[in-house]
Amino acid sequence: MGNPLKVVITGPESTGKTTLAEALAGHYQTFWVKEYARIYLDQLQRPYQEDDLLAIAKGQLASEQAAQTKAGKLLICDTSLEVIKIWSEVKYKRCHPWILAQLRQQKTDLYLLCTPDMVWEYDPQRENPQDREALFTLYKQMLEGKNYVEIAGSKEKRIQAAIQAVDALLT
């Protein structure tokens, strides 16, 4: 059996990515990859540093690779290396060459780009409540030329739009 089709949910913080990943995995009865940064940062006993982003990227990629055998025909990813690239460039004005090399090699069949039209919710790991529109523009620029669909509106509208996009990919 070949690799599953890979759907990545991306976009600025507090745009419903995790909620959408869970809903899609449930709808399609498939496996989803959680955002490794949350797991990593929850265990970190200090403020994160630039080197931590490389460790997060490696953990995210390892999680995706491990999930491929569990996913069947469709793999849902709550975030991706694109998020880490933008995070690194915004915070540190550069991105580790390993992350850039992995981005060039990775194959994603569909990106679901979540718009920042939801109310920002506080979370101790979130840093950019005022910059979501600017970050959204960076995501759009990075996804130019790739297969992506913008996901907007209420939770229900987002889920329906995402299901439509994934159904189109599957047919």
Side-chain angles (χ1 to χ4, degrees):
M1 185 170 94
N3 287 339
L5 293 172
K6 182 178 171 184
V7 175
V8 166
I9 302 169
T10 194
E13 63 187 24
S14 194
T15 56
K17 295 182 296 291
T18 301
T19 300
L20 192 55
E22 286 181 290
L24 289 175
H27 179 81
Y28 292 103
Q29 296 296 295
T30 192
F31 195 81
W32 67 286
V33 179
K34 294 183 180 180
E35 181 181 13
Y36 185 76
R38 289 200 160 275
I39 298 162
Y40 184 92
L41 294 173
D42 280 346
Q43 296 172 357
L44 201 59
Q45 299 297 311
R46 58 171 169 74
Y48 75 85
Q49 301 166 355
E50 186 175 7
D51 288 348
D52 291 314
L53 298 186
L54 178 59
I56 291 168
K58 288 181 177 182
Q60 183 69 36
L61 194 59
S63 296
E64 289 177 19
Q65 290 168 343
Q68 284 185 347
T69 58
K70 302 174 189 172
K73 66 179 180 177
L74 182 65
L75 177 64
I76 308 293
C77 297
D78 175 10
T79 206
S80 65
L81 295 183
E82 285 87 357
V83 170
I84 300 166
K85 176 185 184 291
I86 288 176
W87 179 8
S88 184
E89 289 174 347
V90 167
K91 181 92 174 178
Y92 299 106
K93 308 298 184 230
R94 63 181 172 247
C95 184
H96 194 282
W98 185 90
I99 296 170
L100 297 174
Q102 295 304 311
L103 276 168
R104 286 189 294 273
Q105 294 174 25
Q106 90 176 3
K107 180 185 181 296
T108 298
D109 298 288
L110 174 65
Y111 292 91
L112 301 175
L113 175 58
C114 296
T115 63
D117 61 345
M118 302 177 77
V119 174
W120 186 83
E121 292 183 21
Y122 173 78
D123 178 313
Q125 292 185 8
R126 294 183 179 151
E127 301 177 323
N128 295 299
Q130 308 306 322
D131 299 337
R132 293 189 312 151
E133 286 294 337
L135 291 168
F136 180 73
T137 299
L138 293 175
Y139 282 98
K140 275 187 81 162
Q141 290 169 347
M142 186 167 30
L143 294 178
E144 280 181 16
K146 297 182 179 180
N147 186 22
Y148 80 94
V149 174
E150 286 185 32
I151 303 296
S154 67
K155 175 183 169 184
E156 294 75 23
K157 285 183 179 178
R158 286 171 184 263
I159 292 169
Q160 286 308 312
I163 288 170
Q164 273 187 320
V166 173
D167 284 350
L169 177 68
L170 293 172
T171 57

